[in-house]
Amino acid sequence: MEIVHITAECYPAAKAGGLADVAGALPKYQNLAGHKASVIMPFYHNKFRNTHTFSNIFSGYARLADITYTFHVLIPEGLDLGFDLFMIDIPGLFDRESIYSYNDDTERFITFQIAAANWLCAWEKPADIIHCHDQHTGFLPFMLSKVWDYRRFENVPSVFTIHNGEYQGQFGMNNLNYLPPFHSFFSGLIEWEGDINPMASGIKCAWKVTTVSPGYMEEISHSMSGLEKLLRIERGKCTGILNGIDTEIWNPETDPMLETNYGIDDVDEGKTAIKEQLCNQFGLDPNKPLFSFIGRLAKEKGADVLPDVVYQTSAGFPGEQNILVLGSGEKNIQDGFLTLEQQFRGNFSSYIGYNEKLAHSIYAGSDFLLMPSRVEPCGLNQLYALRYGTIPIVRRTGGLRDTVTDMGDGGFGFCHDQCTTHDVTHAMSRAKAFYQYPELMTSIRRHVMGIDHSWNKAAAEYIELYKSLK
Ligand code: ADP
């Protein structure tokens, strides 16, 4: 089966979060299962562009309202990702470093979708499945079936995956002309509550809709920033498929980003060595349990409760534990951490920014990973933590509920119900008590490292879903 994934992010070419990890792994595992999967994404002017060479395999035009953009399809040379990566270079819109957060993101990603559709038209034969990811590609299921120019794709099944329902990309009807011409009879398919909404359009028009965990699918039919009613209407074609992780990249035995590699048998030695190095780097005490947080400093991730958690648990300073944060995001949360760092030096430290290598070391060197998320569609951090023998402390929500079971229920993590200082510090107290029993720590570390969260299962579930559409 030939599958084309269309996405704004794909590891290692451009990553802002979990979408990149999924788009960089799912096609690889689909290919390993004997299919032909490729990825189409924008070409950003970032580090990946500066460190690779590319060949131009196609040039064309994409028209957005009155402006015609030239685009080029580039492929990286001499790189084996396990799938073909097609990168659409659109000078004027994507020749910038960041993936998102520009004032013209609407124009950028609609033009990207038009360019992707124009290029797909140049293929000798359409792919069997077009798989679109998140709102940045949400118009494609509509365009490929209802826009005059793309009618040849009318019978090609499209799948739309919601990685994060909070970002919907809606904009005013006054910019309807951004979309290529279609019969006005279909305009309801791009609209939701008076706005043009690419997330809603993807949900309405794709043949199947998936989310990245069954738990999140259930939650968004009750609450999805205004789209919950639509989800309930379309429930019949929606499924939750839990993400996997790329166990080749995320493997503590071979991970080149770690100073010390380790496996199940020498997990304690390996983790202790990396923890010591991390504690040296951040001025923390390696004899105390290390609790870490990695991620966007946003309310969605519950990062706003962490400053108070640091404050409460470090009272009676020096506290009983170390806390280390890696992330960037809302300024007031960042500022909170910088102040606390001064106040509780030796107990708390943070790295404000994005650092892939440091993230790997933290997953490996920490004893516990904090994830107090308010919303977590799947969450990959807890899966990486498990793979590296780190015990997750999670709020019971979305994919966290699906993947972490509390010790009290015979599981391997610490779970709490609310995103509050009280719930997080209570879960941390339980973890600190557990930490006092080294043999139990070792046996849980070994157990969690052996849990299979590889993509094999999820990749097969997607293939079954595609087959149901043929
Ligand atoms: P999101 O909602 O942000 O996509 P996920 O849990 O699905 O959350 O994925 C987050 C991914 O981004 C993980 O691979 C995590 O390690 C990575 N990540 C997040 N913030 C940072 C950071 N500041 N530095 C390095 N990696 C990060």
Side-chain angles (χ1 to χ4, degrees):
M1 194 178 284
E2 178 159 15
I3 307 131
V4 184
H5 293 273
I6 309 182
T7 172
E9 300 177 33
C10 178
Y11 183 83
K15 171 168 168 177
L19 169 60
D21 290 349
V22 173
L26 174 58
K28 172 169 144 182
Y29 283 82
Q30 289 177 332
N31 283 334
L32 286 172
H35 302 278
K36 181 164 171 26
S38 57
V39 171
I40 302 178
M41 69 178 296
F43 183 71
Y44 305 98
H45 284 207
N46 59 7
K47 192 170 162 207
F48 184 79
R49 179 233 186 204
N50 299 336
T51 49
H52 292 81
T53 49
F54 301 86
S55 354
N56 186 348
I57 58 160
F58 182 82
S59 295
Y61 299 100
R63 191 178 167 84
L64 179 90
D66 298 331
I67 309 175
T68 301
Y69 291 94
T70 306
F71 73 86
H72 309 282
V73 180
L74 310 180
I75 48 171
E77 288 173 355
L79 188 66
D80 182 12
L81 296 171
F83 56 89
D84 289 334
L85 178 63
F86 302 110
M87 306 183 79
I88 302 195
D89 182 23
I90 313 180
L93 291 177
F94 284 91
D95 39 1
R96 313 174 195 179
E97 193 174 347
S98 298
I99 303 174
Y100 315 114
S101 302
Y102 296 103
N103 290 336
D104 57 351
D105 277 355
T106 299
E107 291 84 345
R108 293 169 76 227
F109 285 101
I110 295 181
T111 312
F112 165 64
Q113 292 174 80
I114 296 170
N118 289 354
W119 181 51
L120 286 173
C121 284
W123 289 27
E124 219 167 90
K125 169 178 147 315
D128 297 307
I129 297 285
I130 300 196
H131 192 151
C132 305
H133 297 267
D134 262 353
Q135 62 91 1
H136 310 98
T137 60
F139 285 130
L140 278 165
F142 170 79
M143 284 165 49
L144 296 177
S145 55
K146 301 292 181 282
V147 163
W148 306 116
D149 289 352
Y150 308 128
R151 278 292 174 89
R152 73 185 291 236
F153 296 102
E154 213 171 18
N155 297 317
V156 178
S158 57
V159 174
F160 181 63
T161 297
I162 304 169
H163 295 257
N164 192 333
E166 299 299 302
Y167 303 96
Q168 300 178 1
Q170 59 273 60
F171 55 93
M173 278 290 179
N174 53 324
N175 286 324
L176 183 62
N177 61 340
Y178 282 175
L179 287 163
F182 59 90
H183 195 306
S184 58
F185 174 76
F186 296 120
S187 55
L189 293 174
I190 54 166
E191 182 266 337
W192 188 252
E193 292 185 342
D195 277 333
I196 301 177
N197 185 318
M199 177 67 81
S201 180
I203 296 168
K204 289 181 188 186
C205 300
W207 293 30
K208 285 277 183 191
V209 174
T210 70
T211 59
V212 289
S213 71
Y216 186 58
M217 176 57 83
E218 195 51 43
E219 280 172 19
I220 57 178
S221 37
H222 300 293
S223 162
M224 189 182 158
S225 300
L227 289 190
E228 49 284 337
K229 193 169 146 214
L230 176 62
L231 251 298
R232 287 201 292 277
I233 294 168
E234 300 286 1
R235 193 70 174 87
K237 66 174 185 187
C238 300
T239 336
I241 299 180
L242 191 67
N243 280 339
I245 58 171
D246 189 327
T247 46
E248 285 177 10
I249 290 176
W250 296 91
N251 181 355
E253 283 186 285
T254 54
D255 188 339
M257 297 198 205
L258 298 184
E259 305 293 334
T260 308
N261 289 110
Y262 61 93
I264 288 188
D265 292 338
D266 57 350
V267 53
D268 288 337
E269 293 84 340
K271 286 181 77 71
T272 304
I274 299 170
K275 179 177 174 182
E276 274 175 11
Q277 165 231 319
L278 268 181
C279 288
N280 273 339
Q281 185 181 346
F282 288 95
L284 301 170
D285 179 351
N287 298 311
K288 293 177 182 169
L290 175 58
F291 293 80
S292 300
F293 172 91
I294 299 174
R296 289 182 283 119
L297 301 181
K299 290 202 179 59
E300 202 185 325
K301 296 283 176 195
D304 54 315
V305 301
L306 290 178
D308 196 40
V309 166
V310 172
Y311 187 82
Q312 297 296 338
T313 52
S314 303
F317 178 75
E320 298 166 337
Q321 73 286 306
N322 303 301
I323 302 181
L324 179 58
V325 167
L326 163 63
S328 60
E330 290 177 25
K331 186 160 183 317
N332 57 332
I333 306 179
Q334 293 184 175
D335 291 347
F337 287 138
L338 294 175
T339 309
L340 288 163
E341 218 166 44
Q342 306 297 325
Q343 203 173 349
F344 299 117
R345 196 178 291 278
N347 251 177
F348 170 71
S349 193
S350 64
Y351 179 107
I352 303 299
Y354 189 92
N355 188 324
E356 191 77 25
K357 183 171 187 298
L358 180 58
H360 284 239
S361 298
I362 295 179
Y363 288 123
S366 302
D367 297 299
F368 304 100
L369 188 82
L370 296 167
M371 295 186 74
S373 311
R374 288 193 176 77
V375 181
E376 198 61 80
C378 173
L380 293 172
N381 300 18
Q382 81 279 15
L383 305 183
Y384 298 141
L386 295 172
R387 177 94 171 132
Y388 284 65
T390 297
I391 301 172
I393 300 181
V394 307
R395 179 171 169 247
R396 289 187 184 92
T397 185
L400 297 176
R401 188 197 295 272
D402 291 343
T403 54
V404 180
T405 317
D406 191 87
M407 298 263 185
D409 299 322
F412 46 81
F414 295 97
C415 303
H416 54 94
D417 288 318
Q418 305 295 332
C419 176
T420 57
T421 305
H422 172 271
D423 270 30
V424 178
T425 53
H426 181 255
M428 287 173 71
S429 304
R430 293 176 63 209
K432 279 184 268 185
F434 189 79
Y435 183 81
Q436 303 308 319
Y437 298 91
E439 292 92 44
L440 285 181
M441 283 292 289
T442 309
S443 83
I444 286 289
R445 283 173 174 166
R446 292 194 168 140
H447 171 70
V448 298
M449 286 176 79
I451 299 175
D452 181 8
H453 276 295
S454 70
W455 266 106
N456 295 329
K457 183 167 170 280
E461 281 182 59
Y462 276 109
I463 297 294
E464 283 310 305
L465 182 98
Y466 302 154
K467 280 187 183 157
S468 72
L469 300 174
K470 293 304 285 180

